[in-house]
Structures are given as structure tokens and as C-alpha cells.
Amino acid sequence: MRILRPTLAAALLAACGPALAGTVTVITSFPKDLTQAYKTAFEKANPGITLEILNKNTVAGIAFVRETPAGQRPEVFWASAPDAFEVLNRDKLLAKAPDALNKNVPDKIGSYPINDPSGMYMGQALAGYGIMYNTRYLKAHKLTPPVEWKDLLAPQWFGHVGITAPSRSGTMHLTVETILQGEGWDEGWQTLLRMSGNASAVTERSFGVPDGVNNGQFAAGPVIDFFGLSSKYSKFPVEFVYPSETAIVPANIALIDGAKNSEEGKKFIAFTLSEAGQELLLEPKISRLPVLPYDQMKGKIPEGYPDPAEIAKRSKVHFDADLSQSRYYVVQSLYDQTITFRLKELQAATRAIYEAEAKLGDKAKSGKPAELLAQARKLAWAPLVDGKRAADPAFLKIFAGNKKDAAVNQQITQMEGEWNGKARANYEEAVKLARQAAAL
């Protein structure tokens, strides 16, 4: 029996080994091509640890973490939007994981910190925002390849653009904020409303825009770079361009406070930041920009691959995550009430303006027709909340409140209802004014 005991003990330890290791649950908005690659590589490098992927859009992911009791939460939050991590941090839902850091990652990309200065989350990849377009579609419809956001505002683009909503996509929220910060609140919203007036649909998820461009449903649309690049390097007939108003910011990863298996959650974070984890970003189906400098990637960078340092250098936008976080829910709500839920009416107003402009020609530039069209454009394309109000701390505080509080919820619901009704009335009036102008 004494001889058997060490053998028996070893056998028991071997049998119990996998049970001692646990499951690491990752809540993420990233597509399966990316998450499956990391799951396979991480589990191979860490036998006995199972990686469970919980796929939700960023807004739903934040809500899930908030609503899950401490001790039962997922281990890792992994998403593109730094402002989302600021929201989680504000709500004290993140935990520090300094031992997961890769010290070879630079402090900044351009002027933007790659890792949160307070140590609550880390940059895992770099991301830029731009326009993805289908080359065959453009050729068939004789559309000029877009270079800047404003290229998508031309009448020729009516019905050819695909968009999603910031409430449905963290990457779209970053795109919206990039435009707002690059152009200023009022002009930025005019760009968003005009671009949306040219849209044929608001997709349910961020994936819907690149999928629609890939299959020719849309000519073009705003996307995060890895959607465009992964399609291009997977041989779809698409191109991706970074406008001068873009932002190169980190896609982040963080340990969730109150998780079930924090120690092994840290192992996954460390793996994504390791050289092996960074090399996975370069796979054609993933096509993301590493946070590790290119000179440390040992010649693995494909020829012609975008250089985030160069893009950041020429970008006109110095992204402010604190500003974005402070108006996070205001931007989502205003976008939904005036675009997502009123797209049909916005499209009708946009079409009526274009038709009047085309019919009138030079007559649209002066006199009564010009006056009526100016009123129509303002009703259709000016934001219902101006920049001054959007910067008012008292106004922002309303939307930062807890919606489970009946008084807060009532106040927000009332405001949203007013915006929705006002948007509809404005768009319908814009149609009438444009038609009056066309009749002159």
C-alpha cells in the first residue's frame, strides 16, 4: 500500500488538475473570427483553462456587467470603445491587473495613452475609424471613391450608404464621437444627419455595415478599420480609407471587478498582450493593428499594412475619452430619436431637398426658393440639442443617472419622446418647404 500511495496521489492530482483550473468568461463585441482564434491559441497554451466567449454589443455588455452580482461576473471585458471602459470604471466595475501588462507596449499612440493612466484597463490593439466601400458597386453606379466623411453627403450617394447606431455598436459610437470631436458638436451632427439621410438602412449590429458592403447591399459605410481591412485581405472587392478626421485609439481589455476567476482572467489578458497574442491580430480574417511596435514584430507585418503611428500623426482629431464618456448616453439617445427611429422621415426630407435643388438649378441659389430650401435644410439637418446645451453639466447629469430610478427614467423618457416627436415634425415640414421651393 505504501508503494501505491505516491502513484495514487499522482493519479488523483492528474485527474483533478483540469478541475482546479477554471473557466475564463470574456464578454466582448468582437466577431467570431477574432474570438475563435484567441480561444484556440489560448487554450492550447494553457491546458485545463476553458475560454468562454459571451458575445454582446458594447452597450449590452456594460449593462450585463452592471446587472450581474459581484462574485458571479465574467472575468474579462474586451471591446473597441475606450469611452465604454470609462463608463465601467466610473461605476467601479473594473479591477487592476498590473501583472498582465506587457512592458514593451509604448505609453502613447500619437498623443493618446495606450493604457489607462490609472491602470484600470489596457490597450490590446489599435483601431482607426473610416469608410469601407465596395469597388464593384461604385463602378456600377458611377460613384467616386470616398476619401472624407463629407464625400458621403453628396446627393449622388442617396440610398447608397449603410450605417448602424451608437446604441447598437461601440465602434459606431467611436465613429460618431470622432466626427463630433473633429468638426465640433453642431457641424458634426449636421454631417451625421446628412450622411444618415443618404443611408438605405440602420443595421442591427456593427457587423451589418461591413457585411452589407461586402455583399453589395451598400456602396459604403462608416466602420472600424479591422472590418474593412479584414474584408480586403480576405479578397472581397472592397477598400478602406482613413479620412483626415479619424482617431487612432486603443481597443481595450480589462479585468472585471467581482469576477469568479480573476487569476486566470489575468492570464488571458497577458496572453493577448504577448507577442504570440499580438501576432494573431495580423491574420487576414482579423486584420487589426497591434499595440506592440512594428519593429518588435520580427518582420511579421504584411507589406502595405497600415502604420498606426503614421495615421495618428496626420489625423486632425485628438480623441478625448473623458468628453466622450461624459455625454455617452446623450449621444446614443439623440442619435436614436432623430436618426434610428426616424430614418424613413429623414430619408424623405433629404430626398425632397435634393429633388428641389435638381429641379431649380441656379434658381435654388437666390430669392424665395433659396430661403425655403435653407429652412428645409435646417429643419432636416440641424441637431435638436445644440452644442451649448450638450456641454451643460446639469443636462449631462440627467443622462448619467440611474434609469432604474423612477424619477430619472421618467425625465429621460419624456425628453426622448419630445425629441422623437420634434424630429418627425421637422422632417415632415422640411418636405413641405422643399416642395414649395420646387414649385416656384
Side-chain angles (χ1 to χ4, degrees):
M1 288 297 292
R2 286 179 185 175
I3 296 171
L4 291 174
R5 277 176 189 166
T7 308
L8 182 59
L12 285 170
L13 281 171
C16 293
L20 294 172
T23 297
V24 172
T25 301
V26 178
I27 189 162
T28 182
S29 59
F30 292 150
K32 189 173 181 180
D33 283 339
L34 185 151
T35 57
Q36 186 58 47
Y38 275 88
K39 175 178 168 65
T40 301
F42 176 72
E43 289 180 348
K44 184 178 179 180
N46 295 270
I49 304 180
T50 300
L51 197 70
E52 179 185 59
I53 303 297
L54 196 57
N55 191 273
K56 293 181 178 290
N57 73 45
T58 305
V59 179
I62 292 171
F64 183 87
V65 175
R66 274 179 171 163
E67 292 162 12
T68 304
Q72 298 179 35
R73 293 174 186 145
E75 282 68 38
V76 176
F77 198 91
W78 193 19
S80 293
D83 47 5
F85 288 80
E86 284 296 309
V87 171
L88 288 167
N89 189 25
R90 181 194 66 197
D91 293 346
K92 302 189 186 310
L93 291 168
L94 300 181
K96 291 185 179 181
D99 42 341
L101 278 169
N102 184 337
K103 293 180 181 178
N104 292 324
V105 174
D107 292 335
K108 292 184 177 182
I109 177 69
S111 60
Y112 197 95
I114 291 181
N115 296 323
D116 172 42
S118 67
M120 301 309 294
Y121 52 91
M122 288 159 269
Q124 189 271 326
L126 296 171
Y129 299 85
I131 304 165
M132 176 181 175
Y133 59 90
N134 185 304
T135 54
R136 291 177 188 166
Y137 188 120
L138 264 62
K139 188 175 180 180
H141 292 82
K142 298 180 180 178
L143 293 166
T144 303
V147 177
E148 302 286 355
W149 300 115
K150 289 193 182 320
D151 292 340
L152 299 180
L153 313 186
Q156 294 88 338
W157 281 88
F158 183 80
H160 297 303
V161 179
I163 57 170
T164 189
S167 62
R168 300 172 179 177
S169 160
T171 57
M172 184 60 181
H173 194 113
L174 264 291
T175 304
V176 167
E177 266 294 343
T178 296
I179 293 170
L180 293 177
Q181 292 189 24
E183 300 184 7
W185 180 271
D186 294 302
E187 187 180 341
W189 271 106
Q190 187 173 92
T191 294
L192 292 167
L193 286 159
R194 290 180 63 187
M195 188 191 301
S196 302
N198 278 348
S200 62
V202 179
T203 66
E204 288 297 322
R205 289 290 302 271
S206 56
F207 310 155
V209 176
D211 285 352
V213 175
N214 283 340
N215 64 32
Q217 179 185 356
F218 311 128
V223 301
I224 190 170
D225 54 7
F226 74 83
F227 280 143
L229 296 172
S230 62
S231 292
K232 176 181 176 177
Y233 289 116
S234 297
K235 307 302 182 184
F236 282 93
V238 302
E239 289 291 342
F240 175 83
V241 62
Y242 294 97
S244 57
E245 285 173 354
T246 190
I248 297 293
V249 295
N252 296 290
I253 194 163
L255 188 68
I256 297 171
D257 190 50
K260 295 173 284 188
N261 190 8
S262 295
E263 289 308 308
E264 290 178 344
K266 291 177 189 176
K267 287 184 180 180
F268 176 67
I269 294 173
F271 175 78
T272 70
L273 297 171
S274 69
E275 190 172 319
Q278 291 288 289
E279 284 179 13
L280 288 175
L281 297 171
L282 303 173
E283 291 188 5
K285 287 185 177 181
I286 297 175
S287 293
R288 301 207 67 159
L289 309 180
V291 289
L292 276 179
Y294 280 12
D295 60 9
Q296 294 186 31
M297 299 293 287
K298 296 181 181 177
K300 299 285 174 63
I301 306 298
E303 187 177 351
Y305 208 68
D307 183 345
E310 288 300 315
I311 299 162
K313 192 182 295 183
R314 65 176 175 80
S315 173
K316 294 179 180 178
V317 182
H318 297 288
F319 193 83
D320 185 339
D322 291 333
L323 174 61
S324 181
Q325 179 269 324
S326 71
R327 59 193 190 189
Y328 192 75
Y329 293 110
V330 172
V331 167
Q332 289 180 11
S333 179
L334 188 60
Y335 192 102
D336 276 343
Q337 301 307 324
T338 61
I339 296 174
T340 311
F341 305 148
R342 286 288 164 225
L343 183 65
K344 183 180 176 182
E345 291 86 353
L346 176 56
Q347 289 168 327
T350 301
R351 181 195 290 272
I353 291 167
Y354 291 160
E355 288 176 348
E357 289 173 341
K359 183 179 179 184
L360 290 164
D362 288 341
K363 287 171 63 179
K365 297 176 182 177
S366 61
K368 188 66 174 176
E371 186 182 317
L372 290 169
L373 279 173
Q375 291 176 35
R377 292 187 195 103
K378 186 174 181 180
L379 286 166
W381 298 332
L384 294 183
V385 175
D386 64 20
K388 185 177 179 181
R389 193 178 185 206
D392 180 0
F395 173 69
L396 296 174
K397 188 177 179 182
I398 295 168
F399 283 84
N402 185 353
K403 279 196 172 186
K404 290 183 179 179
D405 182 309
V408 171
N409 189 52
Q410 183 180 8
Q411 195 172 8
I412 293 173
T413 302
Q414 182 180 345
M415 204 176 297
E416 289 176 334
E418 289 170 359
W419 291 344
N420 192 298
K422 184 69 172 172
R424 179 175 184 171
N426 282 359
Y427 298 150
E428 289 173 350
E429 183 64 18
V431 171
K432 290 178 186 176
L433 291 171
R435 287 176 178 168
Q436 283 178 32
L440 294 175

